[in-house]
Amino acid sequence: MSRTTPATVALTKAGVAFELHPYDYDPDAPRVGLQAAEALGWAPEQVLKTLMTLVDAKPVCVVVPSDCEVGMKKLAAAAGGKSAQMMKPADAERLTGFKVGGVSPFGQRRAVPTFIDETAVLFERVLINGGQRGLLLELAPDEAARACAATWADLTA
């Protein structure tokens, strides 16, 4: 497993301090984020999953706790749109340059609007995908938001 990914390069370039947390990725896990939280011994609400969505057919990156679902109406409203839906995995991979299960909000091929669930600020540190399956990054939520120019919003269903 490489410890250098487009995500770690982007964070380093932005001057954001982070710690690497590799784990054994299980592609057959029913909910990959929860499996990662369990593997690393972190609370699921502190392990944030990165999802690629479409709001009014435009790409949007969403970061929410691994134990929650995205409220599509809340996401659409936060992004100033009318409707939201999940992006097809192949489209997400092509757009971000990351494999599904390893999508990070940092270092994507093309910058898109990014939203982070507001509950992340309740924690001093959170884990967010590091740009490959089996690698999470520990960092401060406000630094994560700064690094990907994210907007805070109430996003969970």
Side-chain angles (χ1 to χ4, degrees):
M1 169 184 298
S2 174
R3 299 201 179 249
T4 302
T5 68
T8 62
V9 169
L11 288 174
T12 301
K13 193 182 266 189
V16 174
F18 62 90
E19 291 179 44
L20 298 172
H21 288 270
Y23 69 97
D24 290 327
Y25 175 81
D26 180 1
D28 298 320
R31 295 182 65 181
V32 174
L34 293 178
Q35 183 262 326
E38 186 175 324
L40 292 169
W42 279 61
E45 58 271 16
Q46 279 184 272
V47 178
L48 308 180
K49 59 186 176 184
T50 305
L51 304 169
M52 296 306 295
T53 63
L54 296 169
V55 174
D56 294 347
K58 293 182 181 127
V60 172
C61 180
V62 183
V63 182
V64 296
S66 62
D67 62 343
C68 295
E69 298 296 322
V70 175
M72 292 298 176
K73 287 183 181 183
K74 288 181 177 181
L75 171 60
K82 292 182 180 174
S83 68
Q85 65 187 47
M86 293 301 298
M87 187 181 287
K88 291 179 181 165
D91 293 341
E93 290 180 352
R94 199 170 25 259
L95 178 74
T96 64
F98 299 119
K99 293 277 184 204
V100 169
V103 174
S104 179
F106 317 112
Q108 294 186 6
R109 279 189 184 144
R110 189 176 113 210
V112 301
T114 301
F115 293 85
I116 300 177
D117 189 71
E118 62 192 10
T119 60
V121 299
L122 299 174
F123 304 101
E124 203 171 297
R125 309 288 283 176
V126 293
L127 294 179
I128 299 177
N129 200 290
Q132 69 185 24
R133 295 169 178 166
L135 181 65
L136 294 179
L137 305 174
E138 177 185 343
L139 68 166
D142 59 334
E143 287 290 286
R146 182 178 66 81
C148 59
T151 300
W152 297 103
D154 175 8
L155 299 170
T156 57

